[in-house]
Amino acid sequence: MPGLETRITFFRGCQLVDIPKITDPRGNLSFIEANSHIDFDIERVYYLYDVPAGAERGGHAHKALSQLLIAISGSFDVRLDDGLSEVRVTLNRPFQGLIIRPMVWRELDNFSSGAVCLVLASHHYDESDYYRDYDIFQKAGAQLR
Ligand code: T46
């Protein structure tokens, strides 16, 4: 169902995406199709779960990777930072996703009990794609601007 979803671009190309939701007395169903609801091929899927209260994930940026994050269960906050400014987004619906683009620092916190973060990623895991040092990320971002 290309084009039916709502996308709100709000920060450095990052987007909030409404994912189709098929309601049914038997329970709801949502689906995501590559190059339709998201504008990249899905090369990897991973998920964060059993996150202890007060724990934080992320704390890095990517050079080339795009990802779609979904709170499949529960809720958590995502802080996005481009080296100049930041925004905070709460994900708490299994039918809404957040696309995070390259060169955006992300930190995930405030995980609710039982929260599950599903991630659809544009590339396989590659440690060399990470900026894990904020100062180095900020300098690299400044050179691109
Ligand atoms: C991101 C946030 C939302 C792998 O071996 N394969 C994988 O696909 C991933 C994602 C990680 N790993 C290894 C690398 C580390 O030894 O798992 C360990 C933990 O990874 P990391 O500290 O990067 O996990 P998070 O939750 O801080 O970050 C992850 C993603 O790495 C990152 O791209 O945006 O989730």
Side-chain angles (χ1 to χ4, degrees):
M1 248 176 249
L4 285 185
E5 79 285 8
T6 304
R7 292 176 188 208
I8 303 171
T9 301
F10 66 100
F11 187 78
R12 291 284 163 193
C14 297
Q15 295 175 322
L16 280 168
V17 178
D18 286 338
I19 297 166
K21 176 181 172 185
I22 312 291
T23 56
D24 190 305
R26 300 171 297 167
N28 299 331
L29 181 153
S30 288
F31 61 94
I32 299 154
E33 295 183 349
N35 292 307
S36 172
H37 307 106
I38 50 177
D39 55 3
F40 53 84
D41 286 328
I42 301 162
E43 288 200 359
R44 177 167 51 111
V45 176
Y46 64 92
Y47 35 96
L48 307 174
Y49 57 100
D50 289 348
V51 180
E56 296 179 8
R57 306 290 311 210
H60 47 250
H62 286 279
K63 298 172 187 172
L65 189 74
S66 288
Q67 304 192 103
L68 177 75
L69 275 63
I70 306 164
I72 286 293
S73 179
S75 65
F76 54 86
D77 293 345
V78 185
R79 190 177 76 82
L80 302 174
D81 179 334
D82 66 355
L84 292 174
S85 60
E86 63 176 64
V87 294
R88 185 171 274 273
V89 183
T90 298
L91 294 181
N92 55 11
R93 299 183 183 99
F95 49 89
Q96 184 183 57
L98 171 65
I99 295 178
I100 307 182
R101 300 299 183 183
M103 297 308 292
V104 176
W105 189 268
R106 78 288 314 266
E107 294 174 358
L108 283 65
D109 61 15
N110 202 23
F111 283 84
S112 69
S113 172
V116 179
C117 172
L118 176 70
V119 184
L120 309 183
S122 64
H123 295 88
H124 289 184
Y125 174 72
D126 176 6
E127 186 57 36
S128 69
D129 187 63
Y130 283 74
Y131 287 106
R132 292 193 185 266
D133 180 303
Y134 185 80
D135 289 339
I136 294 172
F137 156 72
Q138 207 172 25
K139 284 182 187 133
Q143 282 177 350
L144 292 174
R145 283 191 284 271

